[in-house]
Amino acid sequence: MTDNSLSVRESVGTAPAISIRGVTKRYAGATNAAVDSLDLDIAQGELVVFVGPSGCGKTTTLRMINRLEDPTAGSIHVNGTDVTEIDPAELRRSIGYVIQQGGLFPHQSVATNIGCVPRLLGWPKARIRERVEELIELVRLDPDLLDRYPSSLSGGQQQRVGVARALAADPPILLMDEPYSAVDPVVRAELRHELRSLQERLAKTIVFVTHDIDEAIDLGDRIAVFKTGGHLAQYSVPTELLARPDSQMVEDFLGADRTLRRLSLLTVTTAQLEPATATTPPLTIEASFSLRSTLDALLANATDLATVVDLDGSVLGVITLDAIAQIASGDPDSEPVRPWAAPRRKR
Ligand SMILES: Nc1ncnc2c1ncn2[C@@H]1O[C@H](COP(=O)(O)OP(=O)(O)O)[C@@H](O)[C@H]1O
Ligand SMILES: [Mg+2]
């Protein structure tokens, strides 16, 4: 079997997809550590965002996962195997890596770029072509682009090609380093939305680096906030991070409007609904609405009650301003218990 990526893929099981233990990285000649005593587990299928100011060790951490850098101390396991026991070239073929502007080879066509890893793996030509066509569709690009060169594509298109290339050999893990930083905000939001839907369909484990906290909150199942010196400041699901930043640094980094931003991540059904009665309130809210939109609707209609209905119009209960206020207060008991990740939001 020429497909070396299987050795990592086959070991996908109950172990965390990525486990980082006591990892420190000190570059040669540097006085300060780039990454300092980092402990972090990333579950299978999770989308974790590394966020923090420039120079706090996000890229270095990512590059230690696929062994583009080796830690000075500590260990990293991928699907239960110590990465130092895996051949670096093989490891990198089994972990997709996407960097700014896709990091495409400028002198290769889009098709050749996307087929890069399958070619390295020695796939037959016809199978590569088939896979390339499947991938271009997966990232929602026109197949007419396959014969073009990266410089003739927009930033957003290049980024999509970069994702297609990273997914070519169907790696279980995708590492993305500030992939959207050169793309304008509207396209960026679209790319995030697409990445989210790709992740839901393909069940990849994704580690996504950004310095933009709003991007992190929009995208992450969990967020690792890094601080200067390569330390992990906090590692939480977005709603928890917004409700309970555990240091001044994280609170400052999150910025204003934490409560409203958190309400925008929770759907109306997160709140304790009152049973519907014969006199249901006239204002109706769809179950997929966020608590923030619900609050907005209540305020706009000068009412403290609304009927919550599901897609086919059946009544689920009544939402009250008090119930929203209770969740807004950050009272942990008022939030639903979730096993691991935040409830998926309506996008
Ligand atoms: N190849 C390198 N050699 C020496 N120092 C480096 C190298 N790469 C990064 N650094 C330093 O390590 C620290 C962390 O960098 P990096 O991981 O790139 O941070 P981030 O991605 O969070 O901006 C910075 O102080 C940076 O200057
Ligand atoms: Mg970086």
Side-chain angles (χ1 to χ4, degrees):
M1 187 89 199
T2 51
D3 191 350
N4 291 328
S5 68
L6 284 179
S7 58
V8 169
R9 196 176 324 138
E10 277 168 346
S11 62
V12 171
T14 50
I18 299 166
S19 177
I20 299 174
R21 283 285 167 276
V23 163
T24 292
K25 173 67 181 182
R26 208 176 289 279
Y27 286 105
T31 9
N32 297 317
V35 175
D36 196 359
S37 315
L38 184 65
D39 287 300
L40 196 80
D41 273 357
I42 296 168
Q44 304 284 349
E46 218 179 5
L47 199 169
V48 166
V49 179
F50 292 176
V51 68
S54 175
C56 63
K58 306 179 298 293
T59 293
T60 300
T61 303
L62 210 63
R63 289 168 63 87
M64 288 191 289
I65 296 171
N66 64 6
R67 292 196 67 191
L68 288 169
E69 299 290 348
D70 282 322
T72 312
S75 66
I76 298 180
H77 287 73
V78 168
N79 292 320
T81 307
D82 189 325
V83 292
T84 60
E85 286 164 18
I86 308 172
D87 172 59
E90 189 201 317
L91 181 74
R92 270 170 240 145
R93 282 195 295 266
S94 59
I95 297 180
Y97 187 45
V98 184
I99 57 175
Q100 208 185 91
Q101 283 169 323
L104 303 176
F105 307 122
H107 305 300
Q108 293 185 356
S109 70
V110 167
T112 311
N113 263 285
I114 297 177
C116 171
V117 174
R119 260 196 324 280
L120 285 171
L121 294 172
W123 290 15
K125 273 210 170 87
R127 184 172 168 214
I128 297 176
R129 187 71 202 179
E130 200 179 306
R131 181 66 179 149
V132 165
E133 282 167 4
E134 194 178 296
L135 286 159
I136 199 89
E137 209 160 288
L138 187 73
V139 298
R140 293 174 207 275
L141 284 177
D142 188 333
D144 288 350
L145 297 183
L146 283 174
D147 295 323
R148 302 248 298 259
Y149 285 82
S151 60
S152 73
L153 305 183
S154 71
Q157 288 172 329
Q158 290 183 28
Q159 208 49 67
R160 288 179 170 93
V161 173
V163 170
R165 186 178 63 177
L167 288 171
D170 201 20
I173 296 173
L174 209 51
L175 307 178
M176 306 180 75
D177 195 352
E178 308 231 13
Y180 306 151
S181 49
V183 179
D184 74 71
V186 175
V187 177
R188 227 172 139 139
E190 266 174 41
L191 288 170
R192 281 204 295 269
H193 183 79
E194 283 174 22
L195 180 65
R196 216 49 235 216
S197 87
L198 262 184
Q199 196 235 359
E200 275 161 25
R201 276 179 292 153
L202 307 178
K204 301 290 176 197
T205 302
I206 300 177
V207 188
F208 186 104
V209 169
T210 179
H211 57 261
D212 178 346
I213 184 65
D214 293 318
E215 183 155 87
I217 288 169
D218 185 42
L219 205 50
D221 290 324
R222 282 209 289 175
I223 299 176
V225 183
F226 283 66
K227 62 182 174 188
T228 312
H231 302 283
L232 183 63
Q234 190 166 351
Y235 188 34
S236 303
V237 301
T239 50
E240 171 73 18
L241 193 70
L242 288 165
R244 285 171 286 281
D246 64 13
S247 66
Q248 192 62 48
M249 179 265 156
V250 173
E251 188 172 338
D252 292 346
F253 192 67
L254 286 168
D257 304 334
R258 278 193 289 118
T259 303
L260 286 175
R261 283 154 81 200
R262 185 164 140 269
L263 292 182
S264 72
L265 299 180
L266 299 167
T267 61
V268 61
T269 50
T270 319
Q272 188 73 51
L273 300 183
E274 305 283 332
T277 60
T279 56
T280 61
L283 180 63
T284 62
I285 298 286
E286 270 182 28
S288 62
F289 265 43
S290 73
L291 279 175
R292 183 177 180 154
S293 304
T294 305
L295 178 63
D296 190 82
L298 292 179
L299 294 176
N301 288 278
T303 175
D304 57 2
L305 294 170
T307 303
V308 179
V309 295
D310 68 13
L311 269 186
D312 61 23
S314 37
V315 174
L316 300 176
V318 172
I319 180 77
T320 66
L321 208 48
D322 277 353
I324 299 177
Q326 208 193 345
I327 288 191
S329 73
D331 171 7
D333 296 337
S334 68
E335 275 181 42
V337 178
R338 51 184 176 257
W340 189 250
R344 279 289 153 81
R345 310 146 216 165
K346 176 89 183 158
R347 277 159 202 278

